[in-house]
């Protein structure tokens, strides 16, 4: 194995991100034909790729996600907040590309811009046959359905809670349930 070969993540590839956004926009269209704002799409996009930040690890939706190939114990959940920031920065560029390609349209929705999938975008998305496309579509449908009724502020606040490194339902807590408690220090830091 070549030690100097860079690691390429799927999220680093524009075509992968655009395909994922098409699948997400299709899930948004199923819930709201008027589309969604840039901010909301950013949240939906990240949380659809990391659905166990939103969905409790037990229940019908959790079972659907597991069958689709998602696992609540993946180590990536422990670095969710860092990945959220970098992924969100790319959304505007990626949506602009989809608009330029005619797969997405932007319109005024109650004073702000909303993005929605076009018929051409739906036709292209329907051609994706990879297992991941099916898995991501399942996750996007669940996530959008759970979050669409939240106000923008509610969505921001709820996501901030999901991305916190502490708390019983945090990614760090899920990771600790897999790894067990860390080493116990014999040195006290208190007086």
């Amino acid at each position: 194995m070549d030690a100097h070969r860079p690691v390429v993540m799927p999220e680093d590839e524009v075509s992968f991100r655009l395909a994922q956004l098409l699948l997400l926009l299709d899930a948004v269209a199923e819930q709201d034909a008027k589309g969604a704002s840039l901010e909301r799409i950013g949240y939906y996009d990240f949380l659809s790729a990391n659905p166990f930040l939103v969905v409790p690890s037990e229940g019908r939706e959790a079972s659907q996600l597991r069958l689709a190939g998602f696992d609540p114990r993946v180590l990536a959940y422990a670095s969710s907040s860092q990945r959220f920031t970098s992924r969100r920065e790319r959304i505007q560029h990626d949506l602009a590309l989809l608009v330029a390609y005619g797969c997405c349209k932007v319109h005024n929705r109650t004073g702000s811009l909303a993005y929605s999938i076009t018929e051409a975008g739906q036709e292209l998305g329907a051609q994706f046959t990879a297992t991941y496309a099916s898995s991501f579509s399942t996750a996007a449908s669940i996530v959008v359905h759970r979050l669409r009724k939240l106000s923008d502020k509610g969505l921001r606040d709820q996501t901030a809670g999901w991305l916190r490194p502490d708390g019983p339902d945090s990614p760090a807590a899920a990771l600790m349930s897999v790894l067990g408690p860390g080493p116990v220090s014999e040195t006290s830091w208190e007086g």
Side-chain angles (χ1 to χ4, degrees):
M1 186 168 161
D2 186 2
H4 300 288
R5 195 169 132 199
V7 175
V8 178
M9 301 297 290
E11 295 83 11
D12 295 335
E13 298 296 324
V14 174
S15 56
F16 176 85
R17 292 194 319 264
L18 295 181
Q20 203 171 28
L21 268 176
L22 276 180
L23 296 172
L24 174 66
L25 289 169
D26 198 38
V28 169
E30 290 174 10
Q31 307 285 332
D32 187 350
K34 296 176 185 172
S37 69
L38 173 67
E39 179 182 25
R40 191 165 281 272
I41 289 172
Y43 286 111
Y44 290 166
D45 174 64
F46 181 78
L47 295 170
S48 293
N50 302 278
F52 279 109
L53 289 172
V54 176
V55 177
S57 60
E58 299 301 324
R60 185 179 143 278
E61 290 175 330
S63 295
Q64 287 178 296
L65 290 171
R66 281 191 183 86
L67 287 171
F70 290 93
D71 185 344
R73 300 169 297 161
V74 173
L75 294 178
Y77 284 106
S79 62
S80 298
S81 58
Q82 294 87 353
R83 288 179 357 328
F84 173 70
T85 302
S86 63
R87 190 164 176 148
R88 215 171 91 162
E89 291 171 356
R90 296 175 173 170
I91 292 291
Q92 187 170 8
H93 171 263
D94 293 345
L95 283 170
L97 285 175
L98 288 176
V99 169
Y101 292 139
C103 295
C104 176
K105 61 185 174 187
V106 61
H107 53 276
N108 185 332
R109 180 177 178 178
T110 60
S112 65
L113 297 178
Y115 296 82
S116 57
I117 195 167
T118 63
E119 188 175 319
Q122 286 177 320
E123 289 172 8
L124 180 60
Q127 295 177 29
F128 300 152
T129 58
T131 301
Y132 181 77
S134 175
S135 297
F136 184 81
S137 292
T138 297
S141 180
I142 290 170
V143 167
V144 171
H145 179 74
R146 282 181 155 259
L147 303 181
R148 68 185 171 94
K149 299 237 183 206
L150 289 175
S151 67
D152 289 344
K153 181 183 181 330
L155 181 58
R156 279 191 299 274
D157 292 347
Q158 190 68 50
T159 302
W162 288 323
L163 296 177
R164 288 188 56 196
D166 56 354
D169 295 326
S170 71
L175 181 59
M176 291 306 292
S177 73
V178 173
L179 299 177
V184 178
S185 173
E186 294 182 23
T187 307
S188 171
W189 292 97
E190 296 177 12

